[in-house]
Amino acid sequence: MHICVIGTGYVGLVTGACFAEFGVQVACVDNVVSKISMLQEGKLPIHEPGLHELVTKNLREGRLTFTTDITKAMEQSLVIFIAVGTPARADGATDLRYIDEVADSIGRCMRDYKVVATKSTVPVGTAKRIKERIQAAQSEPIAFSVVSNPEFLREGAAIEDFMRPNRVVIGGEDAHALAIMKELYSPLYLIETPVVITDIVTAEMIKYAANAFLAMKISFINAVASICESVGANVQQVCDGIGTDSRIGPRFLNPGIGYGGSCFPKDLMAFRAVAKESGYDFRLLDEVIRINEDQRQRFLKKVRSVLWTLRGKRLGVLGLAFKGGTDDIRESPAILLVQELLREGCQICAHDPAAMDRAKEVLHASVEYTAGPYEAATGADALLILTEWEEFAALDLGRLRKLLKYPIVIDGRNLYDPAIMSAHGFSYYSVGRPASLTEDVAAGIRPHKREHS
Ligand code: UDX
């Protein structure tokens, strides 16, 4: 089968490369000429584990092509995936400008039957809008079907999520289009992947409901962590205690400085707007969003209370990406915290294994970037852990202790066991767990308050 994927962002590129790996003939389309030239040479504009190998292999074997010419890409394609960006408008609703432009182009270029599948996360009802725009742009009526096929790809694990998904959701209205979509995903039948077939609005709804539920899980455990801090309980043990209940499950229960990224913040706002438009006041989502924002403020308050005063303090920062395993800093709680700490007069020395180049674009020269985590810690008044990179969870604690000016670690991702940190002589603060304190550290840091205030 021949398909084309319009939009070569994270979702479009992963979708295109993975379908090519399934043996499908894929044309990826984008209107940014420089991006397409890069991709034609096998160079990737994003960091995603395993994607480069997949793109170069399928380019070489001729199953994957990149073009700016949508007419040419559509010619032989039976299925056209729309994977363009759906940014948020100022009021939280989704800006459908790019979706509309693509729908118009599809309508203008259509010469025979096509299945048009939305991969981008779009408000409930968008498939209907796409259908109407395609019809309006056609010079003569040509039959086509619109289906919704939402993605559930996690950045950093997107290839794995595509190749071994928990499920595939396809929303459609005619049996022919659904059969074509099912055939496209047929390699997944070998690993017995459930395929959930629904109508279109239900498929659109599934995507929002999934992301909102996951975000709710994170905000729930973060709220529990805050109470744990007040009553002296240990949130990690609460997670073990509740996560072993199969009705709750252990995943997505890591407390921290809140969720970020290109999906959760945007999708929650959009879902809230969709609910409002439908006449339902989804106050639960307001709370999920509020708790998430509070979580950063609570962390900041913790840093302030540990260090007494922030002005002039030198802080080592581990992590700038919105989560481990990616170079993406969109809506990253780490970046938002660094910006706040800079405003409060801290000197920041930061390291991130992948996101420093992107961070430089928003933090400018005000941050010192280091080659590794130990360099970021050198001479610092305290070390902050802001992103859950695996390499930050296995640091040489003896070496770290010697490099820091004061052995203070404030961990926003609960990467360490407080007892082990204590045994290594650290004053260790984390989220939702009692702090492990070292007396001489507190005594050492406090005179700074008098010097600077
Ligand atoms: C998410 C969804 O998981 C994916 O299905 C969807 O299609 C796109 O959005 P992604 O944005 O890549 O994927 O990130 P994810 O791994 O879900 O993490 C989102 C945020 O939540 C990160 O900032 C992460 O640090 C945070 N998080 C995640 C927690 O704070 N605690 C957790 O237990 C899990």
Side-chain angles (χ1 to χ4, degrees):
M1 194 187 302
H2 286 248
I3 66 166
C4 71
V5 182
I6 304 176
T8 56
Y10 273 103
V11 173
L13 258 187
V14 171
T15 302
C18 289
F19 273 128
E21 186 65 15
F22 282 175
V24 175
Q25 203 65 38
V26 184
C28 287
V29 189
D30 206 293
N31 55 10
V32 180
V33 179
S34 56
K35 208 167 166 188
I36 289 298
S37 313
M38 245 180 111
L39 287 163
Q40 282 167 337
E41 290 169 27
K43 292 183 195 143
L44 257 58
I46 52 164
H47 167 92
E48 182 62 40
L51 185 59
H52 187 248
E53 292 79 347
L54 224 57
V55 167
T56 44
K57 176 176 172 235
N58 285 284
L59 258 178
R60 196 176 53 240
E61 292 173 5
R63 284 187 300 274
L64 186 62
T65 54
F66 294 98
T67 176
T68 53
D69 186 345
I70 185 168
T71 314
K72 202 167 136 235
M74 273 179 61
E75 243 166 39
Q76 284 183 290
S77 300
L78 179 56
V79 182
I80 301 160
F81 281 98
I82 302 181
V84 292
T86 47
R89 288 192 328 223
D91 63 355
T94 309
D95 181 350
L96 289 174
R97 194 179 341 164
Y98 305 116
I99 294 274
D100 286 346
E101 281 172 17
V102 169
D104 295 347
S105 306
I106 292 174
R108 277 196 305 273
C109 302
M110 198 178 284
R111 301 286 171 264
D112 53 7
Y113 176 80
K114 308 285 180 202
V115 177
V116 179
T118 46
K119 266 272 169 229
S120 310
T121 304
V122 288
V124 180
T126 302
K128 187 166 166 269
R129 175 181 173 128
I130 291 173
K131 194 171 176 179
E132 286 163 4
R133 288 194 81 107
I134 292 176
Q135 274 164 346
Q138 286 178 335
S139 51
E140 54 176 315
I142 298 164
F144 66 96
S145 306
V146 175
V147 299
S148 166
N149 176 217
E151 53 82 17
F152 302 97
L153 308 173
R154 289 164 303 162
E155 285 182 23
I159 306 287
E160 172 70 11
D161 285 349
F162 195 100
M163 296 293 194
R164 299 183 165 276
N166 291 160
R167 77 312 205 177
V168 171
V169 174
I170 308 170
E173 261 136 33
D174 65 276
H176 183 55
L178 288 172
I180 292 169
M181 290 301 288
K182 277 163 94 176
E183 192 193 327
L184 205 47
Y185 282 103
S186 57
L188 296 180
Y189 299 162
L190 294 174
I191 52 167
E192 293 175 9
T193 306
V195 178
V196 181
I197 302 288
T198 67
D199 58 32
I200 294 181
V201 279
T202 304
E204 290 172 334
M205 191 73 183
I206 286 171
K207 175 61 200 254
Y208 277 130
N211 276 0
F213 194 89
L214 291 169
M216 182 183 73
K217 243 184 141 178
I218 299 170
S219 280
F220 179 85
I221 205 62
N222 279 333
V224 172
S226 299
I227 305 167
C228 284
E229 286 181 12
S230 305
V231 301
N234 182 325
V235 73
Q236 229 56 56
Q237 289 170 351
V238 173
C239 290
D240 294 343
I242 65 172
T244 38
D245 183 327
S246 59
R247 291 169 303 173
I248 297 173
R251 298 180 67 189
F252 263 72
L253 279 181
N254 297 321
I257 52 173
Y259 61 78
S262 64
C263 290
F264 285 178
K266 177 170 76 78
D267 291 356
L268 261 79
M269 300 291 267
F271 197 19
R272 197 168 61 164
V274 164
K276 200 171 170 194
E277 228 167 87
S278 77
Y280 185 78
D281 185 8
F282 207 159
R283 277 172 293 178
L284 178 61
L285 292 190
D286 294 343
E287 243 348 79
V288 169
I289 296 166
R290 192 189 62 76
I291 293 169
N292 196 55
E293 280 160 11
D294 271 6
Q295 212 53 22
R296 282 197 314 274
Q297 292 312 316
R298 291 183 65 86
F299 186 80
L300 206 58
K301 215 168 135 196
K302 195 174 289 169
V303 178
R304 239 185 248 123
S305 97
V306 172
L307 300 179
W308 282 55
T309 179
L310 291 179
R311 185 153 300 281
K313 290 278 157 61
R314 183 180 172 84
L315 302 179
V317 164
L318 298 189
L320 296 164
F322 82 95
K323 66 172 187 175
T326 177
D327 63 342
D328 198 338
I329 56 158
R330 284 177 287 178
E331 301 289 326
S332 167
I335 295 281
L336 295 168
L337 276 168
V338 166
Q339 284 170 329
E340 193 67 38
L341 290 164
L342 288 169
R343 270 196 292 276
E344 299 222 16
C346 293
Q347 255 181 287
I348 303 288
C349 220
H351 175 74
D352 188 287
M356 290 195 292
D357 284 345
R358 287 187 192 248
K360 281 176 196 166
E361 290 165 20
V362 295
L363 296 173
H364 310 292
S366 38
V367 169
E368 196 183 313
Y369 297 93
T370 63
Y374 299 103
E375 290 84 344
T378 305
D381 289 301
L383 185 70
L384 313 187
I385 303 177
L386 302 186
T387 305
E388 67 274 42
W389 278 98
E390 270 175 32
E391 44 262 74
F392 295 160
L395 296 171
D396 175 342
L397 296 175
R399 184 175 169 199
L400 195 66
R401 186 165 179 340
K402 284 195 203 116
L403 292 173
L404 281 161
K405 185 168 167 199
Y406 296 104
I408 298 174
V409 174
I410 311 173
D411 183 355
R413 298 293 189 168
N414 288 5
L415 296 189
Y416 287 92
D417 179 339
I420 293 176
M421 294 304 276
S422 183
H424 279 83
F426 287 97
S427 273
Y428 177 71
Y429 304 83
S430 55
V431 182
R433 300 183 295 182
S436 54
L437 302 178
T438 309
E439 271 308 310
D440 55 327
V441 174
I445 195 82
R446 283 181 189 179
H448 276 253
K449 182 186 191 251
R450 288 192 285 275
E451 279 165 29
H452 296 291
S453 57

